[in-house]
Amino acid sequence: MSEVLENATENAVKAEETKAEKFIRLGEYRMNKAIDAIGRIKNLANKSAYDYTPEQVEAMFSVLESKVAEIKEKFTATKRENTAFSFGNKAE
């Protein structure tokens, strides 16, 4: 019963949070998961357990760097103004 009450309380708190608070809550959670996942890639560098080529390593990091750049662009992109076409003069 207390678990149901706890979930209801948590849902009520989430419903009342601001967009900034939601960004912080989800941002911290998702960043920590991403950091952990990326950290596990480090284990692949263990030459006693794995064989890999420099090309394979480059391919992995190329994709990671590309994805990070793509996501960063979403945060830094400015919205384009919605402008209408005009010749600059009105018909007579």
Side-chain angles (χ1 to χ4, degrees):
M1 179 69 175
S2 69
E3 186 177 324
V4 171
L5 182 58
E6 188 176 304
N7 285 340
T9 304
E10 185 177 323
N11 289 339
V13 169
K14 286 180 183 178
E16 294 177 12
E17 73 184 346
T18 66
K19 289 181 178 181
E21 291 167 336
K22 185 176 182 180
F23 177 84
I24 290 169
R25 177 176 58 84
L26 292 175
E28 287 176 348
Y29 176 76
R30 293 175 184 176
M31 283 298 298
N32 286 323
K33 284 185 69 168
I35 290 165
D36 288 343
I38 291 169
R40 285 191 300 275
I41 294 171
K42 175 180 69 176
N43 297 338
L44 295 172
N46 182 349
K47 283 285 199 176
S48 65
Y50 306 103
D51 283 329
Y52 51 86
T53 66
E55 293 80 16
Q56 290 169 321
V57 173
E58 179 57 34
M60 285 183 358
F61 285 97
S62 176
V63 169
L64 280 172
E65 291 164 356
S66 174
K67 194 62 169 177
V68 168
E70 176 186 322
I71 295 167
K72 188 174 182 179
E73 177 65 26
K74 292 286 187 182
F75 281 96
T76 57
T78 57
K79 291 186 178 182
R80 294 183 181 150
E81 288 185 30
N82 188 12
T83 57
F85 174 79
S86 172
F87 282 111
N89 57 6
K90 296 188 181 228
E92 297 177 19

